[in-house]
Amino acid sequence: MGTSDAVVVYGATGHTGRFIVAELLRRGFTPVVSGRDAGRLEALAKEWGEVAVRPATVDDPDSLDRALAGAAAVVNCAGPFAVTGGPVVEAALRAAIPYVDVAAEIEANASMFADYAEAARKAGTSVVPAMAFYGGLGDLLVTAAMGTSTAADMVHVAYGLSGWHPTVGTRAAGQVSHQRRSGRRVRFRNGALEYHDDQLTEQEWSFPEPLGRRAVIAEFTMADVVTVPSHLAVPDVRTYMTVAAASDLARQDTPEPTAVDALGRSDQTFVVDVVVRADGVERRATARGQDIYAVTAPLAVEAVRRILAGHTRAEGVASAGAMFDAADFLRSLTPHLSVELPH
């Protein structure tokens, strides 16, 4: 088991990985950068300064063991997670250190809960999948909105993105998910994931001001359909995406994100609006911020900090809402996020 402040970032050269390395440095951790491309790792390490470089590939367990040796935790940022998730979490379990990933791939998230719960419990370590904008943030907001309740009739998570310039990793993960589903769509209905061929439909969602009423794609299903039901009794979890963002993602010529500030963030803004319905009563929680990839870094790094500090509420494999005090976690993310939670 690791006892240092060293945190391995697997996939450190990727768009989100670089944000996570920067956040670890800012928070006083010692990043260890890892991935398959030694040359790119070395080049970026020179920019970061005193950062250890440990190349590793997911088809070489010994290289992963060397990368994780002596570390306190590992954050997996390398998609597609259908390929990387298993090998990296298995290496973390061998090392008996916490594993956090930023996967938005629904099937990869579901597999993490199904395949590694018992092993993580036996190893006595924490595994938190989808600790990112998609999956983690929505789960925290839903959990905070529910307060002390553990059951609801329905959960809605609406994503109000000003636009979506996807990274190479996002597109690759999407292709893998599309192939795994044989082109079908997925949703969470009647307490289970359902695969279907229904056409997408548009409707309107009343976001808090100043966003206001916007056209959204209904059942634009994201990782919340795995994270939320993993610990809350909810028969239906529905997610929505603004039409503008969905259209950006669908176009193959939409460019990658472009930095507009010193932190490397794009000019994309977002509102995540959660509505929970139980016994005829609605409770709402909202988060606002800039750049869905950049905000994943404080989410993942705060998760690592809390796990290492022992500020957890669950053992083994657990989503963000189950593992942490959701309201306290969200409030700690200022100034990265502006949150509005029910009293």
Side-chain angles (χ1 to χ4, degrees):
M1 179 179 291
T3 57
S4 69
D5 63 356
V7 176
V8 177
V9 181
Y10 189 78
T13 62
H15 189 81
T16 303
R18 282 176 279 176
F19 280 120
I20 289 175
V21 172
E23 182 69 11
L24 286 167
L25 288 167
R26 190 184 72 81
R27 297 286 291 269
F29 288 98
T30 302
V32 176
V33 298
S34 187
R36 63 185 181 183
D37 192 328
R40 289 186 67 197
L41 289 168
E42 292 286 357
L44 286 169
K46 291 178 181 178
E47 299 178 16
W48 287 317
E50 296 299 320
V51 174
V53 176
R54 297 182 186 174
T57 59
V58 294
D59 58 356
D60 182 354
D62 289 341
S63 71
L64 289 172
D65 290 343
R66 291 192 295 272
L68 272 54
V74 58
V75 181
N76 183 9
C77 308
F81 293 88
V83 176
T84 69
V88 179
V89 74
E90 288 165 13
L93 295 176
R94 289 193 296 271
I97 63 172
Y99 168 95
V100 171
D101 72 33
V102 298
E105 298 164 37
I106 292 169
E107 288 77 19
N109 296 145
S111 293
M112 194 63 66
F113 284 98
D115 298 342
Y116 295 101
E118 182 64 17
R121 186 190 62 79
K122 287 182 178 179
T125 193
S126 299
V127 172
V128 185
M131 193 62 246
F133 178 79
Y134 293 119
L137 179 55
D139 186 44
L140 289 167
L141 288 166
V142 169
T143 307
M146 291 184 67
T148 59
S149 299
T150 58
D153 301 323
M154 182 172 288
V155 165
H156 300 270
V157 183
Y159 290 98
L161 275 58
S162 61
W164 189 351
H165 286 203
T167 64
V168 172
T170 294
R171 291 201 183 278
Q175 290 172 357
V176 169
S177 292
H178 184 79
Q179 292 168 358
R180 292 182 74 174
R181 300 173 194 164
S182 300
R184 295 175 297 167
R185 297 185 175 89
V186 63
R187 61 191 171 204
F188 188 84
R189 290 282 187 91
N190 302 313
L193 290 176
E194 295 180 354
Y195 290 87
H196 64 92
D197 297 308
D198 296 348
Q199 293 299 308
L200 292 173
T201 60
E202 290 187 20
Q203 63 182 70
E204 290 193 332
W205 184 273
S206 294
F207 289 93
E209 295 298 337
L211 200 60
R213 197 165 183 84
R214 297 295 176 99
V216 296
I217 302 294
E219 292 192 339
F220 192 98
T221 306
M222 305 305 293
D224 313 277
V225 300
V226 175
T227 56
V228 171
S230 73
H231 67 109
L232 299 172
V234 183
D236 290 327
V237 178
R238 303 190 187 188
T239 58
Y240 310 79
M241 180 66 66
T242 44
V243 169
S247 298
D248 281 346
L249 182 65
R251 288 196 298 269
Q252 293 303 308
D253 61 348
T254 301
E256 293 184 70
T258 301
V260 297
D261 63 21
L263 298 176
R265 297 180 300 180
S266 71
D267 62 0
Q268 176 204 56
T269 58
F270 63 80
V271 177
V272 183
D273 191 32
V274 162
V275 175
V276 176
R277 292 178 181 159
D279 298 325
V281 177
E282 286 191 356
R283 291 171 65 84
R284 195 169 200 162
T286 304
R288 296 176 173 83
Q290 178 181 345
D291 194 321
I292 64 174
Y293 298 105
V295 80
T296 288
L299 282 161
V301 174
E302 178 63 14
V304 169
R305 187 197 71 78
R306 290 183 179 234
I307 292 169
L308 296 180
H311 298 160
T312 56
R313 293 182 161 187
E315 297 180 350
V317 182
S319 71
M323 185 65 73
F324 309 111
D325 179 328
D328 184 66
F329 192 111
L330 289 165
R331 292 189 180 105
S332 76
L333 295 177
T334 305
H336 305 285
L337 279 177
S338 172
V339 298
E340 297 174 15
L341 306 178
H343 300 295

